[in-house]
Amino acid sequence: PLDVEFRNCRYRIEGRNNLMEYGLLLHPTYNAQEIDFLLQGCRKDGIAVDIGANIGLYSLPLAAAVGSRGRVISIDANAGVLARLVFNAESSGLSQIMPVHRAVGDHDGKVDLSICRDDLSIVSVAESATGAVPMQPLADILAAQGVKHVDVLKIDIEGFEDAALAPFLESAPEQMLPRRIVLERGGPDGGDYPGCAAAFKRRGYKLAGRTRSNSLYRRA
């Protein structure tokens, strides 16, 4: 294992087939624009939501930003990386992270994970009646965590953004609508997923910018 510091947080890198870590984490500018965009929207007692949290490359800097009175809801369907996120948070002295082992979808169910042999950070999910990982709508996950408002949200879940995020945005009360959202692009022609794009428009979100892989949305 290799221990590194990234944005004043501590991470342990393990194994040699995780491109997320070896290809990105060792670069101090990793997704700098996206992380800074979210950090600017975090209040000291705020709530951040990280869907597809992996080992905490977004969660840990967000936890440091919200302070001791805030929380970060870190959701991932991969129990292995979620355990490593918890280790990294403890090593960084951050107690604000609430890890949630779930897949996020538009209904209750179960999924099985398929982890890419050549890159442990990339998984695909398939719904199955006997799946090992529970799936829940985002609203239910946040309710179970006692969340009453959301400051910022990041989502990167390999193509399931519409199922996970769009229903939440369509029905969430005002106080639960994040002021800033970062999501991976993956729609037609490299744009946003159609369901998310439609929900953004209806709920008053404006595109603040795009990076190589992500879209940045802001709500007035």
Side-chain angles (χ1 to χ4, degrees):
L2 175 66
D3 293 322
V4 302
E5 185 173 294
F6 171 74
R7 288 184 172 254
N8 299 316
C9 301
R10 296 177 180 177
Y11 294 82
R12 173 160 291 182
I13 298 177
E14 299 177 350
R16 294 188 177 274
N17 62 331
N18 189 324
L19 298 181
M20 172 70 78
E21 297 169 29
Y22 276 84
L24 297 174
L25 180 56
L26 296 182
H27 294 278
T29 58
Y30 167 78
N31 284 23
Q33 186 176 347
E34 294 96 327
I35 296 174
D36 289 340
F37 178 74
L38 293 172
L39 292 176
Q40 291 162 8
C42 282
R43 294 174 292 185
K44 276 296 181 183
D45 59 347
I47 302 291
V49 178
D50 186 358
I51 307 174
N54 203 271
I55 66 168
L57 300 181
Y58 286 76
S59 284
L60 269 63
L62 288 170
V66 300
S68 59
R69 295 175 58 193
R71 283 190 292 161
V72 178
I73 313 302
S74 301
I75 306 168
D76 206 291
N78 185 336
V81 297
L82 201 60
R84 295 179 56 201
L85 181 153
V86 171
F87 177 89
N88 292 335
E90 291 175 349
S91 298
S92 302
L94 297 169
S95 59
Q96 303 93 316
I97 290 178
M98 308 292 116
V100 179
H101 181 219
R102 291 285 188 280
V104 186
D106 55 4
H107 62 277
D108 289 320
K110 296 180 180 180
V111 301
D112 282 316
L113 292 187
S114 177
I115 299 176
C116 179
R117 182 180 62 182
D118 297 324
D119 187 350
L120 296 176
S121 67
I122 296 178
V123 304
S124 60
V125 300
E127 190 169 1
S128 166
T130 59
V133 181
M135 178 175 68
Q136 284 185 290
L138 179 58
D140 294 346
I141 293 174
L142 297 182
Q145 293 292 319
V147 172
K148 303 298 184 183
H149 75 275
V150 177
D151 286 23
V152 299
L153 180 147
K154 165 256 171 183
I155 178 169
D156 180 356
I157 50 174
E158 307 302 327
F160 286 83
E161 278 76 1
D162 269 356
L165 186 58
F168 174 77
L169 293 178
E170 293 284 8
S171 61
E174 287 288 321
Q175 69 270 19
M176 292 294 288
L177 290 173
R179 295 198 302 268
R180 297 187 179 204
I181 295 177
V182 168
L183 79 159
E184 185 182 37
R185 301 202 313 272
D189 302 320
D192 297 319
Y193 294 99
C196 290
F200 286 144
K201 184 176 181 179
R202 281 193 284 271
R203 298 310 301 261
Y205 284 91
K206 303 295 183 182
L207 181 66
R210 284 199 169 112
T211 63
R212 181 179 64 179
S213 302
N214 300 316
S215 291
L216 285 59
Y217 278 90
R218 185 196 310 266
R219 192 168 189 266

